[in-house]
Amino acid sequence: MSFDSYASIEGIAVLENPRRLSNTSKTFIFDAQFFLGSTQKPSLLGLLHYFNGDNLTFSPLPTKCMVKATIAKMDLALNTYSTAESSLEPDDYDFVGDVYDLILLGHASSPEETDDSEEPTLEYVDDPTCPGSPKANFGASINDNNSEPNKITFPIDPCRRPTVHISGRVVNAKRKTATFKLDVVQYISAFKSDTTKTAKPNLPITCIIPDSPRFKSGNKPVPFDHRYVSLDGHLADVVIGAPKDGKAGKIERFLIEVIATLGYYTPTAVAPAAKTAKENVTPSPTNRATRKLGYSFSPSPSPAPPAKRPRLSINSNGSTPAGN
């Protein structure tokens, strides 16, 4: 199957519950949380596959990582390969994807477990073997030739909205509201199984061009329908379906705040846009995912009580940094 669209997510994520696929020693699966900062949904939970070609060692503790991954909306037919430690169900996840770049940053900690002096940090130090190119070390100072290095220490804050990179065909463009939609369909390895051979990895997106001094009133660069567009943006929020039977609704669309459009393309011949079938929304219990993960972006008035490994080992108040 060929695809003419693409979407990826890039940012700091908290990875938990690393587990290998049963038929390979190189592919790992993680439960990954990205900060969203929405009042209705503090974070998004993803099911990410990663081919460990660099033979990285993963801790069972929640770990902060810089992650770049393709992304699609979660499909309830997918196998999550859950273990006794994770206990997550398919409807706990918001998205699924394949990691193509991963940088370990260190264990995630909560204020209840460590003071500020023990918070995870990166320390950039001068590397005499590579002038002008500092090397990074996590959690410890470096002494070269028994001398104190010239170092700058700063905390790693996971409460940053991730960036998305998108290419696809525009539909339902509205100049009055400076919005347009894309439905990205691309290859995602989790959809290879026989149970999902009829399903397509789809990411329903609504793009919003924000107010900016660059654009005069009513003159925002909204693309025309059926044009192909490439853009960068921030993951701003989600549209959630109505609750049903006392259970929380599921995500129906992802809202993207456009940073920059990278170009447009109009094909010579465009087939009529296919009508999108109404999605079968399967609600999930409120806060199911946050009960089963060791790290949480949700505000918490008090530390959570100890729980069995590692379902609730760490909490964070997840407050939004100034400027976000």
Side-chain angles (χ1 to χ4, degrees), residues 14-295:
V14 177
L15 303 187
E16 299 189 44
N17 305 319
R19 58 243 189 223
R20 281 189 173 94
L21 284 176
S22 59
N23 61 343
T24 178
S25 62
K26 287 284 189 179
T27 301
F28 280 77
I29 298 176
F30 298 94
D31 301 330
Q33 293 185 82
F34 282 89
F35 176 77
L36 183 60
S38 168
T39 55
Q40 62 178 343
K41 202 166 183 62
S43 63
L44 295 178
L45 175 62
L47 180 73
L48 294 184
H49 289 224
Y50 174 63
F51 181 78
N52 190 19
D54 294 330
N55 297 316
L56 300 176
T57 300
F58 300 107
S59 167
L61 297 175
T63 303
K64 295 178 185 178
C65 298
M66 186 67 187
V67 171
K68 299 178 183 179
T70 54
I71 180 175
K73 183 181 175 183
M74 182 62 182
D75 190 291
L76 297 181
L78 295 180
N79 188 345
T80 64
Y81 299 91
S82 292
T83 63
E85 287 78 13
S86 65
S87 302
L88 293 170
E89 301 295 335
D91 62 359
D92 286 315
Y93 296 92
D94 301 309
F95 66 92
V96 60
D98 293 316
V99 175
Y100 59 86
D101 194 12
L102 185 152
I103 302 173
L104 298 174
L105 300 179
H107 299 316
S109 302
S110 70
E112 291 83 5
E113 292 191 325
T114 181
D115 58 32
D116 291 339
S117 63
E118 295 174 331
E119 278 292 309
T121 60
L122 278 178
E123 294 177 344
Y124 279 10
V125 302
D126 293 332
D127 184 358
T129 64
C130 187
S133 300
K135 65 183 179 181
N137 179 58
F138 174 79
S141 62
I142 298 176
N143 286 290
D144 293 325
N145 301 323
N146 297 320
S147 62
E148 181 66 18
N150 180 19
K151 64 182 180 180
I152 301 174
T153 302
F154 58 91
I156 303 169
D157 184 4
C159 295
R160 301 286 178 179
R161 291 187 301 166
T163 301
V164 293
H165 312 284
I166 303 167
S167 294
R169 186 170 63 88
V170 174
V171 296
N172 199 20
K174 297 181 178 180
R175 294 193 169 275
K176 186 175 182 180
T177 57
T179 61
F180 56 95
K181 295 181 178 180
L182 301 96
D183 287 292
V184 175
V185 179
Q186 64 180 335
Y187 173 81
I188 300 290
S189 63
F191 285 78
K192 292 191 302 182
S193 65
D194 291 338
T195 58
T196 59
K197 60 184 179 181
T198 59
K200 291 183 178 180
N202 177 50
L203 185 70
I205 297 169
T206 296
C207 294
I208 305 166
I209 301 178
D211 294 333
S212 170
R214 293 182 298 168
F215 312 126
K216 295 180 179 180
S217 179
N219 195 29
K220 295 180 180 179
V222 180
F224 293 103
D225 282 350
H226 309 308
R227 280 193 176 185
Y228 283 83
V229 62
S230 295
L231 61 90
D232 286 347
H234 281 133
L235 184 57
D237 210 335
V238 291
V239 176
I240 298 179
K244 185 178 180 181
D245 299 328
K247 299 179 180 180
K250 296 294 290 179
I251 292 177
E252 294 183 346
R253 298 197 77 84
F254 295 80
L255 303 184
I256 306 301
E257 186 178 274
V258 176
I259 300 174
T261 54
L262 309 178
Y264 304 99
Y265 164 70
T266 304
T268 54
V270 178
K275 294 183 178 180
T276 304
K278 186 176 180 181
E279 296 177 7
N280 182 18
V281 178
T282 304
S284 60
T286 303
N287 293 331
R288 283 184 62 183
T290 57
R291 291 203 307 267
K292 299 171 185 175
L293 294 167
Y295 187 92

